[in-house]
Amino acid sequence: RIAYALTEKLYGHYHFQTATALSTLADTARLQWRPEAARNLRKEVVAIDRVVLGEGHPELAQALQSLAVTYLDGGDWQSAEPLVNEMM
C-alpha cells in the first residue's frame, strides 16, 4: 500500500505506473483469498487503463482478462463473459 500511495502521489491517479501498482495490490489480495478486494482493485486498473491507454491496447486486454479471472474465482461466469468477449 505504501508503494501504491507513493506512486499515485508521484504520477497521479490516471497514470500507467499507478495502474501497475494497483495491479500488484490486486495480485496480493487474490493470493490472500480476498476476492472482493482483488476484484475492486482490478476494476480500478481497467478504468485507469481505459483512460490512459485507450480501447484496443494490449495492456487493457490484459487488465480485462485479470478482472475476468477474479469473477471466475468466485464462479461468476456471467460477469466474466462480457469481459472476455471485450478483450477478444
Side-chain angles (χ1 to χ4, degrees):
R1 286 253 177 229
I2 294 171
Y4 162 71
L6 291 173
T7 302
E8 186 175 38
K9 186 174 183 173
L10 181 63
Y11 296 108
H13 186 70
Y14 288 99
H15 192 277
F16 181 74
Q17 292 297 338
T18 304
T20 300
L22 281 172
S23 183
T24 301
L25 285 175
D27 289 341
T28 302
R30 185 171 180 244
L31 291 171
Q32 293 174 338
W33 297 99
R34 297 180 353 200
E36 188 174 333
R39 190 169 27 262
N40 289 337
L41 289 164
R42 289 284 176 209
K43 287 178 184 179
E44 191 59 30
V45 170
V46 167
I48 292 170
D49 283 354
R50 283 190 198 282
V51 171
V52 173
L53 303 173
E55 299 296 329
H57 194 280
E59 290 293 330
L60 176 58
Q62 177 62 44
L64 290 165
Q65 184 267 342
S66 296
L67 177 57
V69 167
T70 65
Y71 283 112
L72 293 173
D73 284 347
D76 186 354
W77 292 87
Q78 287 183 327
S79 295
E81 184 177 15
L83 297 168
V84 172
N85 290 336
E86 183 180 350
M87 66 181 238
M88 301 294 214

